[in-house]
């Protein structure tokens, strides 16, 4: 599973990432303090789940999430914010979840257990497919033999 954590506050971002790691230690986690960097990365490597702060200095998390959904309509957006007044906006966006700060591993687990869209399993291990064609995968990517 690929997870993005986006928050413009360093301490809040660190706490969010730590909470995600506690719950989902096999996930690939990208953390961003700058929403534009997250948007650039989303175009290269779409995520399965994005934990997004709403009130950020550069761009509102709702607007960022709308752009994420244009790139990947089935991205699971989970807002992590200190404000309760964005529930309606989150609902209209069909967000998967809403966490009111402080973020804890219990809150993260609850939201990850109830995602709107199914997440395809990815593996960090080596996998060989021997029936039909012989294919080997590492970290979910096919290995080319020459």
């Amino acid at each position: 599973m690929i997870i993005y954590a986006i928050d413009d506050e360093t301490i809040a971002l660190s706490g969010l990432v730590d909470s995600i790691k506690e719950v989902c230690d096999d996930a690939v986690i990208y953390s961003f303090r700058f929403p534009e960097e997250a948007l650039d990365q989303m175009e290269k490597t779409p995520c399965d789940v994005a934990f997004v702060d709403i009130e950020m200095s550069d761009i509102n998390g709702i607007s960022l999430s709308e752009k994420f959904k244009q790139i990947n309509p089935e991205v699971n957006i989970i807002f992590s914010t200190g404000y309760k007044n964005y529930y309606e906006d989150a609902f209209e966006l069909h967000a998967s979840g809403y966490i009111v700060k402080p973020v804890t591993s219990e809150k993260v687990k609850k939201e990850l257990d109830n995602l709107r869209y199914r997440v395809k399993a990815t593996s960090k291990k080596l996998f060989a497919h021997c029936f039909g064609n012989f294919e080997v995968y590492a970290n979910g990517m096919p290995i080319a033999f020459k």
Side-chain angles (χ1 to χ4, degrees), residues 3-140:
I3 298 175
Y4 286 5
I6 303 126
D7 198 313
D8 61 343
E9 297 177 16
T10 305
I11 294 171
L13 181 59
S14 177
L16 175 60
V17 169
D18 289 345
S19 294
I20 295 168
K21 285 180 182 177
E22 280 183 46
V23 174
C24 200
D25 63 350
D26 63 336
V28 176
I29 303 169
Y30 293 87
S31 62
F32 304 95
R33 281 194 51 237
F34 303 102
E36 298 81 19
E37 291 177 1
L39 190 56
D40 289 343
Q41 186 66 37
M42 184 68 157
E43 291 175 355
K44 298 174 195 166
T45 308
C47 66
D48 301 303
V49 180
F51 287 85
V52 182
D53 184 21
I54 294 180
E55 292 214 2
M56 297 184 281
S57 57
D58 296 338
I59 185 173
N60 179 290
I62 301 289
S63 299
L64 178 65
S65 298
E66 288 171 347
K67 292 177 182 182
F68 279 1
K69 286 202 163 274
Q70 289 173 356
I71 296 168
N72 177 11
E74 293 191 352
V75 63
N76 291 288
I77 303 291
I78 300 171
F79 291 107
S80 58
T81 182
Y83 303 92
K84 293 182 181 180
N85 57 324
Y86 290 103
Y87 280 122
E88 187 175 328
D89 294 328
F91 183 76
E92 287 178 11
L93 190 63
H94 301 288
S96 291
Y98 198 97
I99 297 173
V100 178
K101 292 178 181 176
V103 176
T104 64
S105 56
E106 292 79 19
K107 290 178 182 179
V108 168
K109 180 172 179 11
K110 181 180 175 188
E111 297 304 333
L112 289 176
D113 286 345
N114 294 290
L115 294 175
R116 177 178 291 275
Y117 301 107
R118 186 171 166 253
V119 175
K120 296 174 188 156
T122 57
S123 174
K124 292 183 178 182
K125 300 177 183 175
L126 192 63
F127 172 76
H129 181 293
C130 300
F131 300 103
N133 295 331
F134 178 75
E135 300 167 323
V136 179
Y137 297 85
N139 297 326

